[in-house]
Amino acid sequence: MNPFINLGIRHDIVNAITELGFENPTPIQEQSIPVLLTGSNDFVGLAQTGTGKTAAFGLPLLELLDFEENFPQALVLCPTRELCLQITNDIKNYSKKMSNVHVVAVYGGASISDQLRQIKRGVQIVVATPGRMLDIINRNAIDFSRVKYVVLDEADEMLNMGFQEDIDNILSTTPDEKKTWLFSATMPAEVRRIAKKYMTDPYELTMGTKNTGNANIEHEYYVVRARDKYAAFKRIVDFNPDIFGIVFCRTKIETQDIAEALIKDGYNADSLHGDLSQQQRDKVMKRYRERSLQLLIATDVAARGIDVNDVTHVINYSLPDEIENYTHRSGRTARAGKTGVSISIINAKELGKIRQIERVIGKKFAKVDIPTGFDVCEKQLFSIVHKIHNVQVNEQQIEQYLPRIMEEFKDMSKEDFIKRFASIEFNIFLDYYKNAPDLNAPVEEGRRFERDGDRSSYPRSGGKSEYTRLFINLGSVDEFNRGDLLGYICNQSKISGRSVGKIDVKGVYSFFEVPHADVDKVTAGFNGAEFKGRPVRIEIAGEGVSERRDGGYQRREGGYRGDRTGGERRDGFRNNRGGAERDGSGGGFRDFSGKRREEHGERRRRF
Ligand code: AMP
């Protein structure tokens, strides 16, 4: 018997989900379904995407609503169009053996009249992004006065995207007695605040420790010199011939540039960012889902809600501005119980940020060396061997050519033949990686960049040179302004207000400057401090978030411009693309044509 029955899910739903391959509940389903089925709790679930949370709330909704009635009884709010469609589709799948279940997806960028028509026909479950939902409410086109359940999915993302006010307005049209179920991958102060605002005594469920990423994700970092970043990135990709990855960049321009450079270098890559039209984005996503693309280069915003299974690697080409975003990025891999790797390519100055992320996700990163040229060649060779071994032979098509092929090879031993066959691609790599330099940058962790290291060399934000800039995890959302924060710092650390330099109050964190000589006193003063039950964290600001934001981001630091070659390669790649796409496996090196070899010849010249 399917264990979902024991959780209290009825047969027709269990039959439908069994067909979807749900044989056992995921941990979040196991723990939340019995609670949510009571229908009497507000609920906060701290869980990543990919953990099965859609069914965790979707199945209880299907149990609790009255489908003989055709008015909105449940509202699911989520941050993106992609997620909205995904949830709608999932709920429709779970309920495909039930009758009269009407679910409507309400999202921007699509015809509103279709959505209005569906609502008018009668729906019980509305899955919506906040902007379009509010638009429909403002047209008086929906009545939420009998809504019993509101789900806030990926609440942290919705707040990141500035939907707080829209959510307030939408929820004000729902009855006070409704139950609210909130799901979030991370629990920053803003989410804590909305949980408090909309819920009474919610049942809280944390999968893993707070803010912890999925346990199936391995976190790795590589340290390179800025100028070697692109070359190192390519080497990592070449070292993973079966990679199916999402590469995160910080800006649209960087995203576009990296994608273009990769395409020119013969990889199956494309970019996803906010400057693309919805149609263009859909097209890129379709190709990625179908695995015609092997690498999707994306900004944080554009990649929100991407739900593609089997992503093997997330690559942080640039670390995210906000640490919370690291969790979102890495959560794109290791979905549905699979494993995955989240790679960060950093320069030595960013080590402090890796340590900060480690603290937030509660997991250690492994420092990995950039593979040598030889390592890559070896890895590719065995990948080729594996592919040759497992290739599907089209007996019918090849048969007619076999006599001629046999004739060609008649004077060759099996060993010779295999050697030659495998060498076709292997030689390309040997050529390309001949004399490849070591791309690992020296790291002097603990001396320059660790918190308790040599502070005087720590990068600073500008301002008075005798000051050290400190980070504190409190900000305007905790209702601090500069004056309040100054008072709080002085009170806590027993230093004079006059000695505090510039104070920058941000949303969930702030920065302030204190004389170098006072740093220890301030850190000691905050040791063990709590603010409204939450530990207060003080750190020396590295070249993190706001430094880049304030100081402006310098693109092309990876130096890939120099790696590029002209249009010739692009043409070559295009000519080969059809085959590559059909193949749908392996790296940018799978083509055996002469044209391709030319490309690799160019590669070689770049070293
Ligand atoms: P979600 O976190 O809801 O986006 O789910 C991630 C993926 O896991 C989706 O592809 C689901 O179809 C799949 N999934 C969810 N629950 C189960 C389950 N109990 N067994 C197998 N797959 C599941």
Side-chain angles (χ1 to χ4, degrees), residues 77 86 98 112-113 125 212 217 268 307 316 335 364-365 506 524:
L77 288 176
Q86 181 74 42
M98 297 168 65
I112 196 167
S113 47
I125 304 177
T212 299
I217 304 173
N268 288 331
D307 173 36
N316 296 282
R335 299 173 64 76
K364 281 267 170 222
F365 276 62
K506 310 272 183 189

mmCIF file of all heavy atoms in Angstrom, residues 77 86 98 112-113 125 212 217 268 307 316 335 364-365 506 524:
data_model
loop_
_atom_site.group_PDB
_atom_site.id
_atom_site.type_symbol
_atom_site.label_atom_id
_atom_site.label_comp_id
_atom_site.label_asym_id
_atom_site.label_seq_id
_atom_site.Cartn_x
_atom_site.Cartn_y
_atom_site.Cartn_z
ATOM 1 N N LEU A 77 -0.155 32.027 -3.221
ATOM 2 C CA LEU A 77 0.631 33.127 -3.796
ATOM 3 C C LEU A 77 2.080 32.670 -3.924
ATOM 4 O O LEU A 77 2.642 32.071 -3.003
ATOM 5 C CB LEU A 77 0.575 34.368 -2.902
ATOM 6 C CG LEU A 77 -0.754 35.126 -2.886
ATOM 7 C CD1 LEU A 77 -0.688 36.271 -1.891
ATOM 8 C CD2 LEU A 77 -1.113 35.652 -4.281
ATOM 9 N N GLN A 86 3.882 25.910 -12.557
ATOM 10 C CA GLN A 86 4.313 24.625 -12.028
ATOM 11 C C GLN A 86 3.338 24.118 -10.955
ATOM 12 O O GLN A 86 2.899 22.967 -10.989
ATOM 13 C CB GLN A 86 5.715 24.804 -11.429
ATOM 14 C CG GLN A 86 6.339 23.567 -10.860
ATOM 15 C CD GLN A 86 6.799 22.637 -11.960
ATOM 16 O OE1 GLN A 86 7.361 23.102 -12.951
ATOM 17 N NE2 GLN A 86 6.533 21.361 -11.801
ATOM 18 N N MET A 98 -10.066 13.164 -9.585
ATOM 19 C CA MET A 98 -11.192 13.730 -8.835
ATOM 20 C C MET A 98 -12.069 14.490 -9.833
ATOM 21 O O MET A 98 -11.610 14.863 -10.909
ATOM 22 C CB MET A 98 -10.693 14.725 -7.770
ATOM 23 C CG MET A 98 -9.825 14.084 -6.720
ATOM 24 S SD MET A 98 -8.981 15.318 -5.692
ATOM 25 C CE MET A 98 -10.334 16.123 -4.839
ATOM 26 N N ILE A 112 -5.010 38.639 -19.700
ATOM 27 C CA ILE A 112 -5.810 38.697 -18.466
ATOM 28 C C ILE A 112 -7.227 38.204 -18.745
ATOM 29 O O ILE A 112 -7.878 37.627 -17.874
ATOM 30 C CB ILE A 112 -5.800 40.125 -17.856
ATOM 31 C CG1 ILE A 112 -6.286 40.095 -16.405
ATOM 32 C CG2 ILE A 112 -6.631 41.092 -18.680
ATOM 33 C CD1 ILE A 112 -6.027 41.360 -15.625
ATOM 34 N N SER A 113 -7.689 38.402 -19.982
ATOM 35 C CA SER A 113 -9.088 38.044 -20.251
ATOM 36 C C SER A 113 -9.302 36.531 -20.136
ATOM 37 O O SER A 113 -10.320 36.084 -19.632
ATOM 38 C CB SER A 113 -9.557 38.587 -21.595
ATOM 39 O OG SER A 113 -8.605 38.294 -22.563
ATOM 40 N N ILE A 125 -9.427 26.773 -6.451
ATOM 41 C CA ILE A 125 -8.041 27.059 -6.069
ATOM 42 C C ILE A 125 -7.454 28.077 -7.041
ATOM 43 O O ILE A 125 -7.455 27.850 -8.259
ATOM 44 C CB ILE A 125 -7.175 25.770 -6.080
ATOM 45 C CG1 ILE A 125 -7.799 24.702 -5.169
ATOM 46 C CG2 ILE A 125 -5.740 26.085 -5.656
ATOM 47 C CD1 ILE A 125 -7.062 23.366 -5.176
ATOM 48 N N THR A 212 19.469 26.143 6.305
ATOM 49 C CA THR A 212 20.370 25.133 5.772
ATOM 50 C C THR A 212 19.913 24.700 4.399
ATOM 51 O O THR A 212 18.734 24.500 4.160
ATOM 52 C CB THR A 212 20.372 23.901 6.688
ATOM 53 O OG1 THR A 212 20.831 24.316 7.938
ATOM 54 C CG2 THR A 212 21.288 22.825 6.155
ATOM 55 N N ILE A 217 23.408 18.480 -1.293
ATOM 56 C CA ILE A 217 24.251 19.359 -2.112
ATOM 57 C C ILE A 217 25.649 19.430 -1.514
ATOM 58 O O ILE A 217 25.819 19.661 -0.318
ATOM 59 C CB ILE A 217 23.676 20.793 -2.167
ATOM 60 C CG1 ILE A 217 22.241 20.772 -2.684
ATOM 61 C CG2 ILE A 217 24.546 21.691 -3.045
ATOM 62 C CD1 ILE A 217 21.539 22.099 -2.607
ATOM 63 N N ASN A 268 27.190 24.300 -25.526
ATOM 64 C CA ASN A 268 25.732 24.457 -25.653
ATOM 65 C C ASN A 268 25.250 25.308 -24.497
ATOM 66 O O ASN A 268 24.858 24.795 -23.453
ATOM 67 C CB ASN A 268 25.046 23.093 -25.563
ATOM 68 C CG ASN A 268 25.282 22.277 -26.777
ATOM 69 O OD1 ASN A 268 25.460 22.821 -27.868
ATOM 70 N ND2 ASN A 268 25.294 20.964 -26.617
ATOM 71 N N ASP A 307 12.330 25.256 -12.162
ATOM 72 C CA ASP A 307 12.137 23.948 -11.566
ATOM 73 C C ASP A 307 12.495 22.901 -12.613
ATOM 74 O O ASP A 307 11.653 22.467 -13.381
ATOM 75 C CB ASP A 307 10.662 23.845 -11.137
ATOM 76 C CG ASP A 307 10.330 22.461 -10.652
ATOM 77 O OD1 ASP A 307 11.192 21.840 -10.014
ATOM 78 O OD2 ASP A 307 9.209 22.000 -10.927
ATOM 79 N N ASN A 316 28.453 29.206 -9.303
ATOM 80 C CA ASN A 316 28.426 30.632 -8.970
ATOM 81 C C ASN A 316 29.627 31.261 -9.657
ATOM 82 O O ASN A 316 30.725 31.288 -9.102
ATOM 83 C CB ASN A 316 28.508 30.817 -7.454
ATOM 84 C CG ASN A 316 27.293 30.236 -6.764
ATOM 85 O OD1 ASN A 316 26.237 30.843 -6.762
ATOM 86 N ND2 ASN A 316 27.436 29.037 -6.209
ATOM 87 N N ARG A 335 17.492 18.249 -6.574
ATOM 88 C CA ARG A 335 16.053 18.252 -6.340
ATOM 89 C C ARG A 335 15.527 16.821 -6.282
ATOM 90 O O ARG A 335 16.134 15.906 -6.816
ATOM 91 C CB ARG A 335 15.354 19.041 -7.452
ATOM 92 C CG ARG A 335 15.819 20.488 -7.491
ATOM 93 C CD ARG A 335 15.265 21.200 -8.687
ATOM 94 N NE ARG A 335 13.829 21.306 -8.648
ATOM 95 C CZ ARG A 335 13.166 22.163 -7.891
ATOM 96 N NH1 ARG A 335 13.826 23.014 -7.123
ATOM 97 N NH2 ARG A 335 11.848 22.197 -7.899
ATOM 98 N N LYS A 364 30.051 23.079 5.577
ATOM 99 C CA LYS A 364 31.400 23.449 5.145
ATOM 100 C C LYS A 364 31.536 23.321 3.634
ATOM 101 O O LYS A 364 30.983 22.410 3.032
ATOM 102 C CB LYS A 364 32.418 22.505 5.795
ATOM 103 C CG LYS A 364 32.720 22.861 7.224
ATOM 104 C CD LYS A 364 33.933 23.776 7.274
ATOM 105 C CE LYS A 364 34.125 24.369 8.665
ATOM 106 N NZ LYS A 364 34.487 25.778 8.638
ATOM 107 N N PHE A 365 32.290 24.212 3.066
ATOM 108 C CA PHE A 365 32.650 24.087 1.653
ATOM 109 C C PHE A 365 33.932 23.264 1.564
ATOM 110 O O PHE A 365 34.784 23.342 2.451
ATOM 111 C CB PHE A 365 32.973 25.458 1.058
ATOM 112 C CG PHE A 365 31.787 26.248 0.585
ATOM 113 C CD1 PHE A 365 30.805 26.640 1.467
ATOM 114 C CD2 PHE A 365 31.686 26.636 -0.738
ATOM 115 C CE1 PHE A 365 29.726 27.394 1.041
ATOM 116 C CE2 PHE A 365 30.616 27.394 -1.179
ATOM 117 C CZ PHE A 365 29.633 27.774 -0.295
ATOM 118 N N LYS A 506 20.751 49.287 6.268
ATOM 119 C CA LYS A 506 20.130 48.646 5.109
ATOM 120 C C LYS A 506 18.863 47.937 5.573
ATOM 121 O O LYS A 506 18.417 48.183 6.690
ATOM 122 C CB LYS A 506 21.085 47.633 4.489
ATOM 123 C CG LYS A 506 22.464 48.161 4.229
ATOM 124 C CD LYS A 506 22.529 48.805 2.876
ATOM 125 C CE LYS A 506 23.942 49.261 2.594
ATOM 126 N NZ LYS A 506 24.064 50.079 1.415
ATOM 127 N N ALA A 524 33.490 42.003 21.250
ATOM 128 C CA ALA A 524 33.312 41.367 22.564
ATOM 129 C C ALA A 524 31.976 41.811 23.170
ATOM 130 O O ALA A 524 31.244 41.006 23.753
ATOM 131 C CB ALA A 524 34.466 41.745 23.483
#
